[in-house]
Amino acid sequence: MKKILLIYFLMLPCIILFSQEKSKYTTNKKAIKSFNKSVALMERHQNNAAVMEINKAVEIDPGFLEAWLLKAEIHDFLGDVWESYLAYKNVFEIDPFYDTGLCYKLAVLAYRAGEYSNAKQFIDFFYKNADTVKYLKYDFQRLKKYIYFADSAYNNPVPFTPINLGPGVNTHFDEYWPSLSIDEHVLVFTRQIPLNPNNSSRAQSNMHEDLFVSYYDPEFKMFGTAIPLPGNINTKLNEGAQCISGDGKTIVFTACNRPDGLGSCDLYIMFLVDGKWTAPKNMKTVNSPYWDSNPSLSADGRFLYFASGRPGGKGKTDIWVVEIDNQGNAVSPVFNLGDPLNTEYEEISPFIHPDGRTLYFASQGHPGMGDFDLFYSRRDEKTGKWSKPVNLGYPINTNGEERSLIVNARGDIALFASTKGKNDLDIYFFKIPEEIKPIATTYVTGYVYDIVTNQRLEAICELIDLKTENLVSTVLSDAKTGEYMVSLPVDKDYAFNVDKRGYLFYSENFSLSNLETPDKPYVMNIPLQPLTEGVTVILKNIFFEFDSYELLPESFAELNKVLEYLNNNPGLVIEIGGHTDNRGSKAYNKTLSENRAKSVFDYLVSKGIDKKRLSYKGYDFSVPIATNDTEEGRALNRRTEFKVISNKP
């Protein structure tokens, strides 16, 4: 549905239709007759005939200013921006000072038509010659700001070569609202299809929206033939404006005016279970009686961004966010993103990138090229505040409407819907310009299992920023398959912990702070050790200064995880073991390994763990787990472990 931005720039009133007897600009009686006939036809709402008559008038006398003015107003009334603009332009060329206020309207129409250079000239003429006090209600200052931005963007285009996603996805119907899993294997989108397949009419009364899915074929390097989303999702009503979770197992979509709805359009959630999607559930703790739509899930599914027209925002529609549990229930109040993202106008179609810090959205409230433009903003990790939105530039944005853009996890490809001069919308992709890229993201995937029985396990998988100790992402592995997928922005070092009650937690780390772009995902199947006496766990995220037992700050995230684990298992007694490689004397390494174990002991005691539950020991290099002949092996041997001494309920 088209919405024109400049309906907010209130138009000058139409001229009063009156019969013309005399004119300063013509004496031609035939031209005047056609003018008067056109006026009469407009009064009887015979619009097409009125256009034909006024065309006769300007053909007879091209200098007949009032005829050009009437022609402009007729086309303006009919919504024909280009013809209206050309007619007003003729008025200006005949007499620029006939009504200097018309230059405001000319600037509006030129802007809407994408004639930015001309729009700039007209708004400048208006500022210079019109009594602007008379036009304050028309917000011409905002218009000038938008025109100047658009003219600059038009003359400084960004790289942009859109490529059709192919016949597996696109048809002669409309395809739009793409959403993509982190591994880029699952594409879900909205397709508009006929209610009655035997009726070829494209009228809205004969069309409805359904959700479709296409799977990537690595052999042919393209998406395969799309099919309706499996399950009882699609109905004769509209299902669309959806998003898919990073692991491809949760979809949130929009449906309107359903019997179980709260009012207008609501958000619904469903889950992939045993290869089928569950029945959609109204997200009643998120929805309102107002318009709620355009969902976007964070990579771990914890946060839902969406657009809403509910009260409490800044404009007609705003972008909001809410924290949800793994069933889609709100666990925090719905929060308006506020300044500087939301404005008094419309903000819609948010997309939170898997990096968790870059938000793409469409807006009418920030300087743009005409209608809805696409913008991005980055969240400051320290303050949590969003940066001033940046327009994605021309020709990604045009004088038309742009919305529903998404960017892949690697941050190098964007998907969006466009007509590209055709009669229907298709989904396209393009290489995203460097300056508007998000943080590149890779992912770790695999399954969690019991190392003794090989049974797949449901477990909590947490990704922690080693530097800040902040929880970056948390997901729950699948209860049946044990499968998980966690997003990894490539500009940080991470602790990766997997935890399940009754088991030792698993510790891993990923050093990605110097990785510019992801090479390939990490595939890790996680063995969990049942919590029994004598078992050990390697703490892979405990770090010390070189040749020292001083703990590095990056260790505290892991230490706090051990602390949490001990508090959750109050009957657990452990030994902390320090290990080194074989460089240096045995005596020296014995002392170093023992002091390192004691540093961990001291930290846990300082945080309230009873000394009776802890002991420490230095093993030097007497218990290697890898060869000491290579640097990689020696690095593995330099480790901190804890061993279960006893565990009493």
Side-chain angles (χ1 to χ4, degrees):
M1 181 180 294
K2 274 284 191 184
K3 294 182 181 178
I4 301 301
L5 167 61
L6 288 167
I7 60 175
Y8 296 108
F9 296 134
L10 298 178
M11 294 294 167
L12 296 175
C14 292
I15 62 170
I16 299 173
L17 299 180
F18 59 92
S19 295
Q20 187 82 41
E21 298 299 334
K22 289 184 179 181
S23 167
K24 174 182 174 182
Y25 300 95
T26 189
T27 57
N28 191 298
K29 292 182 179 179
K30 287 185 178 180
I32 293 173
K33 183 178 179 180
S34 287
F35 177 95
N36 291 335
K37 192 172 181 180
S38 180
V39 170
L41 288 166
M42 279 297 291
E43 289 175 341
R44 295 197 297 271
H45 306 291
Q46 294 175 269
N47 301 330
N48 292 334
V51 170
M52 292 177 63
E53 282 301 325
I54 202 61
N55 283 341
K56 288 180 184 178
V58 296
E59 286 171 8
I60 294 167
D61 187 351
F64 188 179
L65 183 146
E66 292 93 345
W68 283 110
L69 187 58
L70 178 58
K71 178 179 170 68
E73 294 293 351
I74 292 172
H75 283 293
D76 197 13
F77 174 77
L78 296 176
D80 190 334
V81 173
W82 182 249
E83 289 296 331
S84 180
Y85 165 64
L86 292 177
Y88 275 122
K89 194 176 178 185
N90 273 289
V91 172
F92 180 81
E93 289 171 353
I94 293 168
D95 185 353
F97 294 95
Y98 170 78
D99 181 355
T100 53
L102 287 178
C103 278
Y104 169 79
K105 195 158 191 176
L106 262 169
V108 168
L109 293 173
Y111 175 71
R112 286 173 59 182
E115 295 283 308
Y116 303 120
S117 177
N118 288 337
K120 191 174 177 182
Q121 294 177 18
F122 290 131
I123 197 66
D124 286 345
F125 187 92
F126 173 79
Y127 261 81
K128 183 178 179 180
N129 298 289
D131 181 4
T132 55
V133 175
K134 293 167 52 178
Y135 301 96
L136 289 177
K137 67 178 180 179
Y138 297 118
D139 201 3
F140 55 81
Q141 293 173 329
R142 178 175 175 241
L143 175 62
K144 182 177 182 180
K145 184 178 179 181
Y146 279 45
I147 288 173
Y148 268 67
F149 169 83
D151 184 59
S152 175
Y154 182 82
N155 289 301
N156 296 277
V158 298
F160 179 63
T161 308
I163 300 170
N164 193 291
L165 214 51
V169 173
N170 293 315
T171 67
H172 62 284
F173 296 118
D174 285 349
E175 285 83 21
Y176 44 95
W177 282 105
S179 49
L180 195 63
S181 61
I182 288 179
D183 61 9
E184 302 178 29
H185 289 176
V186 184
L187 174 71
V188 178
F189 60 93
T190 303
R191 178 179 288 168
Q192 193 175 72
I193 59 176
L195 283 166
N196 180 359
N198 298 319
N199 184 346
S200 61
S201 170
R202 297 292 293 267
Q204 286 300 308
S205 59
N206 187 48
M207 306 297 286
H208 73 125
E209 295 175 322
D210 275 356
L211 297 178
F212 281 72
V213 61
S214 175
Y215 300 99
Y216 186 73
D217 187 329
E219 180 180 353
F220 295 98
K221 296 184 178 180
M222 62 186 299
F223 281 96
T225 302
I227 59 173
L229 204 65
N232 298 317
I233 295 98
N234 294 319
T235 69
K236 295 298 182 181
L237 299 173
N238 290 324
E239 292 80 28
Q242 79 297 323
C243 68
I244 189 168
S245 62
D247 62 4
K249 294 183 178 180
T250 303
I251 287 179
V252 178
F253 70 95
T254 308
C256 303
N257 304 314
R258 288 195 170 195
D260 63 344
L262 300 188
S264 185
C265 295
D266 282 3
L267 298 173
Y268 289 76
I269 192 168
M270 54 192 181
F271 308 95
L272 188 63
V273 178
D274 295 334
K276 294 184 179 180
W277 291 96
T278 61
K281 182 184 74 170
N282 187 300
M283 301 180 74
K284 292 185 177 180
T285 57
V286 174
N287 290 315
S288 71
Y290 301 86
W291 181 82
D292 298 300
S293 185
N294 304 176
S296 177
L297 281 166
S298 62
D300 60 1
R302 288 176 58 208
F303 294 94
L304 178 66
Y305 294 75
F306 62 101
S308 177
R310 67 186 63 197
K314 294 197 64 179
K316 185 177 179 181
T317 57
D318 279 4
I319 298 172
W320 302 71
V321 64
V322 62
E323 185 175 2
I324 58 175
D325 63 19
N326 60 6
Q327 293 301 307
N329 301 306
V331 296
S332 73
V334 177
F335 177 73
N336 186 287
L337 292 189
D339 291 326
L341 273 67
N342 290 321
T343 69
E344 60 184 299
Y345 302 97
E346 287 193 70
E347 278 71 43
I348 58 171
S349 68
F351 170 72
I352 185 68
H353 187 263
D355 70 3
R357 286 170 274 168
T358 308
L359 183 74
Y360 297 89
F361 64 100
S363 173
Q364 292 181 331
H366 300 284
M369 307 299 293
D371 198 344
F372 278 106
D373 270 21
L374 294 165
F375 296 81
Y376 78 91
S377 175
R378 299 198 200 281
R379 181 172 51 199
D380 186 286
E381 289 191 279
K382 293 182 179 179
T383 65
K385 294 183 178 179
W386 293 95
S387 66
K388 182 180 179 181
V390 177
N391 190 293
L392 265 58
Y394 175 86
I396 297 174
N397 288 316
T398 68
N399 63 312
E401 177 186 301
E402 283 76 38
R403 61 166 79 187
S404 67
L405 175 137
I406 66 170
V407 179
N408 66 346
R410 287 174 291 138
D412 60 347
I413 296 292
L415 278 72
F416 76 117
S418 174
T419 60
K420 290 291 290 176
K422 304 191 308 174
N423 292 326
D424 64 289
L425 281 165
D426 278 356
I427 298 174
Y428 291 78
F429 73 92
F430 64 93
K431 290 185 178 180
I432 196 162
E434 193 67 35
E435 58 271 21
I436 62 175
K437 282 184 177 180
I439 304 299
T441 304
T442 184
Y443 61 93
V444 55
T445 187
Y447 56 84
V448 183
Y449 67 100
D450 185 311
I451 197 171
V452 177
T453 66
N454 285 325
Q455 180 184 353
R456 302 293 181 91
L457 299 174
E458 181 183 62
I460 299 171
C461 305
E462 293 182 337
L463 194 69
I464 300 168
D465 184 329
L466 282 172
K467 185 175 181 180
T468 65
E469 301 177 46
N470 290 335
L471 179 64
V472 176
S473 179
T474 180
V475 299
L476 199 63
S477 63
D478 188 89
K480 289 188 176 181
T481 66
E483 293 174 348
Y484 71 94
M485 184 179 291
V486 179
S487 175
L488 295 166
V490 301
D491 62 339
K492 295 181 179 299
D493 295 335
Y494 301 99
F496 179 56
N497 297 128
V498 181
D499 191 11
K500 180 175 179 61
R501 193 164 188 83
Y503 289 82
L504 287 178
F505 75 89
Y506 179 89
S507 169
E508 188 54 80
N509 64 66
F510 299 94
S511 181
L512 305 181
S513 56
N514 296 317
L515 185 65
E516 292 184 2
T517 56
D519 180 19
K520 56 184 179 180
Y522 297 86
V523 179
M524 292 176 48
N525 299 325
I526 308 297
L528 290 188
Q529 180 75 246
L531 184 52
T532 56
E533 292 183 10
V535 297
T536 62
V537 59
I538 300 173
L539 304 174
K540 294 183 180 179
N541 296 297
I542 303 294
F543 308 101
F544 297 92
E545 291 281 1
F546 176 71
D547 206 24
S548 166
Y549 52 86
E550 182 180 347
L551 286 162
L552 288 172
E554 291 84 353
S555 303
F556 295 130
E558 185 95 314
L559 288 168
N560 290 333
K561 186 66 184 177
V562 175
L563 182 67
E564 178 187 351
Y565 188 77
L566 290 169
N567 285 330
N568 288 338
N569 295 274
L572 188 62
V573 178
I574 66 170
E575 175 197 271
I576 301 159
H579 299 263
T580 66
D581 59 35
N582 67 350
R583 291 179 297 183
S585 69
K586 189 173 183 66
Y588 175 82
N589 280 295
K590 177 75 171 176
T591 301
L592 179 61
S593 61
E594 186 163 315
N595 283 335
R596 286 182 169 181
K598 186 175 185 301
S599 293
V600 175
F601 173 91
D602 290 341
Y603 181 86
L604 296 173
V605 170
S606 73
K607 296 298 182 179
I609 301 299
D610 192 333
K611 288 183 180 181
K612 295 178 181 179
R613 299 178 61 196
L614 303 172
S615 62
Y616 61 90
K617 183 177 180 180
Y619 287 90
D620 56 72
F621 48 78
S622 60
V623 191
I625 59 171
T627 179
N628 275 306
D629 295 333
T630 65
E631 180 52 45
E632 292 80 7
R634 288 191 292 269
L636 291 172
N637 288 330
R638 297 190 298 269
R639 67 194 189 278
T640 304
E641 297 178 340
F642 79 68
K643 180 169 66 175
V644 176
I645 303 302
S646 65
N647 182 33
K648 298 179 181 179

